[in-house]
Amino acid sequence: MAKERIQKQIRKERQNNYLSRDFDQFRSQLLDYARAYFPDKIKDFGEASVGGMFLDMNAFVGDNLSYYLDHQFRELNPRLAVETSNIESHLRNAGVKIVGASPAVVTVTVFFEVYAIGDAYGNPTPDPAFLPRLSQGTTLRSSNGTVFTLSEDVDFTETDVNGNLKCFAGIDAGGRIGQAGRNGNFGTVIVNRDVLCVSGEQKSEAFAIANNSVPFRSITLASPNVSQIISVTDSDGNVYYEVESLTQSDVFRSTRNTNEDRDVVESSLEMIPAPYRFTSTTSLSTRKTSLTFGSGDAETLDDDIVPDPSEVALPLYGKTTFSRFSIDPNRLLETQSLGISPRNTTLTIIYQHGGGRDHNVAAGSIRFVKTLLRDFPKSYTFDPAKHPGRSTTSFTSLSNQVINSIDVTNNEPAVGGDSAPTVSDLRSRISSYRFTQERIVTKQDLLARVYTLPSNFGRVYRAAVSPNPENPLSSLIHVISRDARGRLTTSTDTLKRNLRIYLNEYRLISDAYDVLDAEVINFQVRYRILVDPSYNKSGVIAQANTAVAKSLRLQNFQINQPIVRDDITNILINTQGVISLTNVEFVPIPINTQSTVLSTTFEGREYSALDYNFKANFINGVYLPPNGGIFELRYPSFDIKGAAV
Amino acid sequence: MFSGERKSYSFKSVGFTEENIKDNRSTFTVNDPIGIVSPVQFGNNADGLFAMHRNLLEQIKDNLKVLLRTNHGERPPLYDFGANLMPLAFDIGTDSGDIQAMQRISKALSKYLPVVQASDYEPIVLYEDNGELAKVGVRMTYDIPILSIKGQKVDCIIYAAG
């Protein structure tokens, strides 16, 4: 009796330990426990015994639970999470947009040979009746097979503020003549317009929606790497707008600017209610895009669908004063629902998909027209009397000849195409997203916005923000892109224009940004080393070159980032076989007479033409770039020159 | 002091009688249960939930059987536990198969049951009347040096068909 009483007392005062984490710890603790509390019940816990097996199984279960407990905690941390679905969830919570491969952006010049008429001075000018209008969706093809799609309509009849055709400069201003006039007509002239093209193909998908109300209905598009959803319409003619979250009940719409400043500002924005709306999300694993619609039922909602902002005016009853009050301007157009879920209709979704580094095609490689969506303006009527001596006076026949004369080319290489960001890339963006918001306040907000420019407008490779010395309210944004070979290249004007428009939507009203090109500083590294006689000199130099190239690779550099010379010294001295370092220096690429403003050629290789004085900018052991400058060791195989003594 | 013929005995012929062995066994019998009987079965009032061994020899023999019959991967936390004889089922009886089996048994014993020292090994290959294979197993003779026990035998059937 006494023994049992003591045992009961001991059991009450058991020291339970919850610190065991793995199999061995659990087994050891269980064994101690069994030996302490049940020595008279069982003694053999060797691995070969049944008791040992039970002990092992319990420790195994504990080990497993401990592992999964750890795993669950790790999955709560975006930096440590490994399961794709959880990373995806973290990305969405942080607001990081998952994108597929990015398309390249390029400005393509479209040419037509158009029948001419005489202008006021008797010079040939294009007959506006034959000036076509190309529609968004027209596709072009480069020599490597990459398809480029017109991202906007282009109207050859468009004129500038002075009434001059944008597509034809006039004979006096260098306008080109196709065929000289004969038989009393004015022959033909060459007209051209620059148009923004984005790589990738447009696709249209139709989805039949059943006649039942499904809140937050979701549909998935068939193609991966969707860069842009161009339009979503239903068979009733309703247009669905993409919003960031379904609580946003209004959207900005871009419309063509028809005012006198249209040459400066191409588009203007307006705010419109969006009762029919959707959000799009891209799966991290499949890179396929899903559209999620609202929760409202179109058949039961009343005029709350489209609220009237003027109704929010507050009446004053029985008094003549009112105090200040707080209001969220976003609530003015708020509806009771989260948008309408489509039912009993057919949704037609047109989207653009495709992208990658190989879409950064070289200049002059876009030469083929794949599909041409065009028409002729009905506002200009064809007058056969203005075209005497033509082989035919049929408008159809002549207009077909004009269309068949189409030619396209790109004077600049396409830039911005990039492969889909990896999970690590996306994960690294989470921290920067957490501190940003829907407006740009800090430098970090601004950089996050620059890097997250929607991929169909091109991609900035590096960006840096610095204060504008001439305007305290303005900041300088230096940007740089990469070409198809992964080398730094000046961002195109189109990309910068897109960036300006994009940033403008998020900037504070008193802020100003100047978007500038970052200056690329190409250089060579030259060094002399004393090599241990027992080592092969060539092998040591090759090894040293590889180490230096790895240290100076482009991925390691940001705009305004200096080079610390001792880093390279350290690498060279620590190379196996090197006894001492005689000399190491950074030298600029010589600028020769064949140089242009942007580029120079040295030993048959193309470099940036920036004249940078390394000696003058070597301060305290550090090479300082100019503001907005970025170092690039462009050709590591040629630009690292080592010599062994 | 002594007279007449002197007697002389050789230790070579000294052994244990059955009575001696039974006595020895009773020596290793203790009151408290040692370990759970395999295969697991319900115990009587004295044992508790499971039937328990109270004899050290029986417990060790039971453990040895478990070790011989277990193959690698069958114990989740201890993936190399067991003699892993099943893959040799159709090689036992051949020279190379028997050598392999002995090596595996020795290895398993040294790691998981070092109190047992294997002394003899005998393959068991039984055939049905029709000549087809019926049973494959091993018969092992072992000693337990720390208990001064010798010549214990255990049979372990690895594979049975028919």
Side-chain angles (χ1 to χ4, degrees):
Chain A
M1 288 295 288
K3 185 182 172 187
E4 286 178 1
R5 195 169 61 246
I6 291 167
Q7 278 184 341
K8 279 183 182 176
Q9 277 184 344
I10 291 172
R11 280 172 193 160
K12 280 182 185 173
E13 295 168 10
R14 280 176 191 168
Q15 295 284 321
N16 288 329
N17 179 2
Y18 297 101
L19 297 177
S20 298
R21 303 298 297 273
D22 59 19
F23 177 79
D24 290 335
Q25 288 177 355
F26 277 118
R27 194 179 195 284
S28 169
Q29 197 182 342
L30 285 168
L31 189 59
D32 291 345
Y33 185 88
R35 281 177 177 161
Y37 296 110
F38 305 103
D40 55 338
K41 299 290 182 191
I42 185 167
K43 297 183 188 307
D44 187 6
F45 287 106
E47 285 93 343
S49 68
V50 177
M53 186 188 74
F54 285 158
L55 213 59
D56 286 351
M57 298 300 282
N58 277 297
F60 181 60
V61 171
D63 189 19
N64 267 276
L65 290 174
S66 179
Y67 170 79
Y68 282 107
L69 194 66
D70 282 357
H71 179 72
Q72 293 300 330
F73 268 97
R74 289 172 68 85
E75 290 299 306
L76 291 174
N77 185 335
R79 290 189 177 180
L80 302 175
V82 291
E83 289 185 23
T84 308
S85 58
N86 289 334
I87 295 171
E88 197 170 325
S89 188
H90 282 301
L91 290 169
R92 287 195 180 137
N93 285 340
V96 178
K97 194 90 172 167
I98 302 168
V99 294
S102 306
V105 183
V106 65
T107 301
V108 173
T109 308
V110 183
F111 300 90
F112 283 102
E113 186 177 359
V114 177
Y115 293 110
I117 56 175
D119 63 7
Y121 306 102
N123 292 323
T125 188
D127 184 347
F130 290 112
L131 289 175
R133 189 168 51 201
L134 305 185
S135 301
Q136 178 191 13
T138 293
T139 54
L140 312 175
R141 190 165 52 81
S142 70
S143 50
N144 72 350
T146 304
V147 174
F148 287 81
T149 307
L150 264 68
S151 64
E152 57 195 1
D153 294 344
V154 54
D155 187 355
F156 278 73
T157 62
E158 199 175 348
T159 56
D160 60 18
V161 287
N162 299 319
N164 299 320
L165 283 170
K166 287 184 175 179
C167 66
F168 187 72
I171 295 298
D172 297 337
R176 291 165 57 195
I177 293 178
Q179 293 174 2
R182 58 181 179 184
N183 302 330
N185 62 43
F186 285 87
T188 60
V189 292
I190 308 296
V191 296
N192 68 281
R193 286 294 305 270
D194 288 345
V195 59
L196 182 68
C197 290
V198 179
S199 69
E201 291 190 72
Q202 279 190 9
K203 191 171 180 180
S204 176
E205 273 188 63
F207 294 86
I209 307 295
N211 189 15
N212 59 338
S213 176
V214 177
F216 305 112
R217 191 188 291 275
S218 181
I219 55 177
T220 301
L221 303 177
S223 300
N225 296 325
V226 171
S227 56
Q228 184 185 16
I229 293 168
I230 294 166
S231 72
V232 179
T233 51
D234 64 17
S235 48
D236 300 326
N238 297 312
V239 178
Y240 292 72
Y241 296 101
E242 183 171 5
V243 289
E244 193 171 327
S245 76
L246 290 172
T247 55
Q248 291 180 1
S249 53
D250 48 81
V251 294
F252 288 107
R253 184 164 65 182
S254 173
T255 55
R256 185 170 287 275
N257 183 8
T258 56
N259 296 323
E260 287 186 352
D261 63 346
R262 61 182 180 272
D263 284 348
V264 184
V265 183
E266 292 179 358
S267 304
S268 56
L269 286 171
E270 61 180 341
M271 193 169 71
I272 56 169
Y276 297 91
R277 56 185 180 263
F278 65 91
T279 59
S280 70
T281 52
T282 303
S283 164
L284 192 57
S285 52
T286 64
R287 303 282 173 168
K288 285 189 174 179
T289 298
S290 298
L291 275 58
T292 303
F293 297 88
S295 58
D297 187 349
E299 293 188 1
T300 57
L301 285 177
D302 50 17
D303 56 352
D304 175 60
I305 295 170
V306 186
D308 183 356
S310 65
E311 289 178 1
V312 298
L314 300 176
L316 279 178
Y317 293 113
K319 58 180 185 176
T320 56
T321 61
F322 65 94
S323 61
R324 294 172 58 181
F325 57 91
S326 303
I327 191 166
D328 177 4
N330 291 326
R331 293 181 70 85
L332 289 180
L333 289 174
E334 195 172 66
T335 60
Q336 296 300 314
S337 74
L338 295 169
I340 293 168
S341 178
R343 64 182 290 183
N344 194 26
T345 187
T346 300
L347 285 177
T348 303
I349 301 171
I350 301 173
Y351 59 93
Q352 187 148 351
H353 67 99
R357 293 272 296 278
D358 57 338
H359 285 207
N360 295 332
V361 298
S365 61
I366 302 174
R367 299 307 308 269
F368 310 100
V369 177
K370 192 178 176 201
T371 55
L372 187 62
L373 307 177
R374 51 81 183 170
D375 63 356
F376 287 94
K378 293 185 171 51
S379 52
Y380 297 99
T381 51
F382 170 61
D383 183 2
K386 292 179 178 176
H387 297 274
R390 302 273 186 216
S391 56
T392 174
T393 54
S394 159
F395 177 75
T396 307
S397 177
L398 290 172
S399 60
N400 282 341
Q401 289 176 26
V402 170
I403 293 302
N404 290 337
S405 70
I406 188 171
D407 192 13
V408 294
T409 189
N410 57 314
N411 295 320
E412 293 178 354
V415 294
D418 211 343
S419 46
T422 63
V423 174
S424 302
D425 291 341
L426 291 168
R427 203 204 311 250
S428 65
R429 292 179 191 172
I430 288 179
S431 55
S432 64
Y433 265 77
R434 286 206 190 284
F435 302 109
T436 192
Q437 48 191 339
E438 278 193 24
R439 63 191 69 166
I440 297 169
V441 179
T442 65
K443 181 179 170 184
Q444 285 74 20
D445 292 346
L446 180 53
L447 280 176
R449 284 291 166 198
V450 171
Y451 283 125
T452 54
L453 174 72
S455 57
N456 52 323
F457 298 119
R459 182 170 287 180
V460 172
Y461 180 63
R462 290 286 186 267
V465 178
S466 56
N468 188 338
E470 296 172 2
N471 180 357
L473 292 177
S474 170
S475 298
L476 302 178
I477 306 173
H478 289 93
V479 294
I480 194 83
S481 294
R482 280 195 302 176
D483 63 14
R485 293 165 296 184
R487 293 169 191 154
L488 292 180
T489 185
T490 306
S491 301
T492 61
D493 289 344
T494 310
L495 176 54
K496 282 176 283 194
R497 192 163 57 240
N498 290 336
L499 194 61
R500 184 197 67 196
I501 294 168
Y502 176 66
L503 294 179
N504 193 43
E505 292 191 23
Y506 300 98
R507 74 178 175 93
L508 300 182
I509 195 165
S510 58
D511 286 349
Y513 308 126
D514 294 334
V515 182
L516 304 173
D517 289 319
E519 292 180 309
V520 180
I521 306 159
N522 295 133
F523 58 94
Q524 290 190 333
V525 182
R526 294 179 186 166
Y527 65 88
R528 290 173 74 84
I529 51 175
L530 181 64
V531 176
D532 189 325
S534 63
Y535 282 83
N536 178 288
K537 286 183 179 178
S538 305
V540 172
I541 285 179
Q543 202 179 341
N545 285 356
T546 306
V548 171
K550 190 178 175 187
S551 171
L552 294 175
R553 62 184 175 181
L554 188 57
Q555 287 85 340
N556 296 339
F557 280 88
Q558 300 282 342
I559 294 172
N560 293 336
Q561 181 182 333
I563 294 177
V564 181
R565 193 179 68 173
D566 284 350
D567 287 347
I568 305 304
T569 305
N570 192 33
I571 288 169
L572 290 169
I573 287 175
N574 286 311
T575 304
Q576 214 168 8
V578 174
I579 293 177
S580 71
L581 178 66
T582 311
N583 179 41
V584 59
E585 60 177 347
F586 287 71
V587 294
I589 304 297
I591 309 295
N592 54 38
T593 53
Q594 297 172 342
S595 303
T596 64
V597 176
L598 291 176
S599 66
T600 185
T601 304
F602 177 62
E603 294 176 347
R605 299 181 297 276
E606 189 182 7
Y607 291 92
S608 159
L610 181 70
D611 191 12
Y612 174 77
N613 189 335
F614 272 84
K615 284 183 182 172
N617 291 291
F618 184 63
I619 300 166
N620 296 330
V622 173
Y623 292 105
L624 295 171
N627 187 27
I630 180 169
F631 289 107
E632 181 197 26
L633 187 69
R634 178 160 284 200
Y635 303 97
S637 311
F638 299 98
D639 293 339
I640 303 174
K641 295 183 183 296
V645 180
Chain B
M1 293 290 289
F2 291 100
S3 61
E5 281 187 17
R6 295 181 64 188
K7 286 187 177 178
S8 154
Y9 297 98
S10 168
F11 277 97
K12 211 173 183 179
S13 57
V14 173
F16 294 99
T17 62
E18 274 192 32
E19 285 72 22
N20 290 145
I21 292 170
K22 280 178 184 171
D23 289 346
N24 266 341
R25 283 189 175 173
S26 63
T27 306
F28 301 120
T29 303
V30 291
N31 288 328
D32 286 343
I34 299 170
I36 301 166
V37 173
S38 150
V40 177
Q41 49 200 278
F42 286 115
N44 55 29
N45 289 337
D47 288 339
L49 179 61
F50 300 125
M52 304 294 284
H53 283 298
R54 291 171 188 275
N55 183 291
L56 206 50
L57 282 182
E58 294 300 322
Q59 178 66 54
I60 292 173
K61 187 174 184 178
D62 203 349
N63 290 356
L64 181 58
K65 280 185 177 177
V66 168
L67 189 66
L68 291 175
R69 286 173 179 161
T70 308
N71 299 297
H72 287 181
E74 290 177 354
R75 249 315 172 87
L78 302 170
Y79 293 97
D80 66 340
F81 180 81
N84 197 28
L85 297 176
M86 180 62 90
L88 301 174
F90 296 97
D91 295 328
I92 283 177
T94 65
D95 288 347
S96 61
D98 290 340
I99 289 169
Q100 278 248 354
M102 283 192 285
Q103 285 173 342
R104 290 184 183 194
I105 291 168
S106 295
K107 194 176 172 186
L109 284 175
S110 66
K111 183 167 184 183
Y112 290 109
L113 206 55
V115 297
V116 172
Q117 194 172 338
S119 57
D120 285 328
Y121 166 90
E122 186 184 335
I124 302 170
V125 183
L126 299 177
Y127 290 92
E128 288 285 7
D129 294 341
N130 59 6
E132 299 296 329
L133 183 66
K135 284 181 181 175
V136 177
V138 295
R139 176 172 296 132
M140 211 184 87
T141 309
Y142 63 96
D143 306 329
I144 308 172
I146 60 167
L147 300 180
S148 303
I149 300 289
K150 289 187 173 181
Q152 300 293 306
K153 287 186 186 303
V154 63
D155 286 359
C156 172
I157 300 302
I158 299 165
Y159 186 81

